[in-house]
Amino acid sequence: MIRTISLICLITCTSWSASAAAQWEKASESDGLTIWSRDVGNDRVREIKVETVLDFPAERVWNVVRDVNNFSEFMPYVIEAKIIKKVDEKNWYQYQRLDPPLVDMRDYVLKVTTENKPPEATYYLRWAAEHEIGPKPREDAVRLKLCDGSWTLKALGPNRTHLTYWLYTDPGGSIPGWVARKANTVSLPDLIASVRNRSKDPKWKR
C-alpha cells in the first residue's frame, strides 16, 4: 500500500520556500542512493530528496527525464502523459494520469521550467502544480493540488552524472498523513531505477 502511494507521488511529480524549512535529515542510504527529508511546516507531508550517481552521460539522463510523451512506457503506473501546451523549448505544461493498484487514479497538470547549466548544475528541471489550464478534473481520479519538484543533473565526466531528485507533494484523497509521509520516501529507489533502466536501454532514443 505504502509503496503504491509513494509511486503516485514520485512519478509526478519541491518546494522552493526553503527559508521555512528545517535542516535535512538522512532517511536512508543504500545501493548508492542517499535519501533525505525535512519538515516544511506541513502536518501531512515532508519535503524529500534523493541523491545518486548514474553511469551515463548527463545529456542522456536529461533526455530521459524530459521524455514526457513516453512516460507510460517506463514509469510505473503512468497510463497517460503528454505535453498539453508548449511555451518554448524550455517551458511547457504537461498532464499525467496514473492508475496504481489499491487506490483511485491520480492526475495532475504541471507547469515545467528547464534551464541549461544553472549554478551548481549541468541541467535543471522544475515543476509545480498548475490549476488554471489543462483537462478538467475526472470523476474517476483524484486531482493532485500540491505537486512540486525538480531534477538536477551535474556531469561528473563524459559517462557519469550526479542526480538529485527533489519533491514536495501530497497524494491527496483520504490517505492519512502518516502514510503520505512514509510513502514519499520508500519507493524513491523504484523511481531512480526506472530512469536508470531507460538510460541504459540501447534501443531507446529521444
Side-chain angles (χ1 to χ4, degrees), residues 5-17:
I5 303 304
S6 67
L7 284 169
I8 292 173
C9 300
L10 297 173
I11 295 168
T12 69
C13 32
T14 302
S15 168
W16 25 97
S17 58

Side-chain angles (χ1 to χ4, degrees), residues 130-151:
E130 171 58 59
H131 307 296
E132 301 301 324
I133 72 169
K136 295 181 179 180
R138 299 168 56 103
E139 293 185 358
D140 60 350
V142 175
R143 174 64 55 92
L144 298 193
K145 297 180 179 180
L146 175 61
C147 184
D148 301 342
S150 70
W151 294 99

Side-chain angles (χ1 to χ4, degrees), residues 4 13 45 61 63 77 91 96 98-99 124 135 168 178 189-190:
T4 295
C13 32
V45 293
V61 181
N63 286 333
Y77 307 143
N91 303 274
Q96 292 175 218
L98 285 68
D99 188 18
Y124 178 69
Y168 180 48
W178 73 268
D190 294 326

Side-chain angles (χ1 to χ4, degrees), residues 68-80:
V68 178
N69 292 329
N70 292 310
F71 275 3
S72 61
E73 296 180 3
F74 67 101
M75 291 292 196
Y77 307 143
V78 174
I79 60 173
E80 185 178 1

Side-chain angles (χ1 to χ4, degrees), residues 166-186:
W166 194 10
L167 183 72
Y168 180 48
T169 189
D170 190 327
S174 59
I175 298 170
W178 73 268
V179 175
R181 290 191 296 273
K182 182 69 174 179
N184 282 357
T185 61
V186 296

Side-chain angles (χ1 to χ4, degrees), residues 156-205:
L156 301 179
N159 293 299
R160 282 170 63 82
T161 302
H162 183 275
L163 177 153
T164 302
Y165 179 81
W166 194 10
L167 183 72
Y168 180 48
T169 189
D170 190 327
S174 59
I175 298 170
W178 73 268
V179 175
R181 290 191 296 273
K182 182 69 174 179
N184 282 357
T185 61
V186 296
S187 282
L188 280 165
D190 294 326
L191 177 71
I192 301 304
S194 70
V195 173
R196 179 184 290 110
N197 291 336
R198 190 68 163 185
S199 298
K200 73 179 181 182
D201 184 353
K203 299 180 180 179
W204 177 78
K205 183 177 181 181

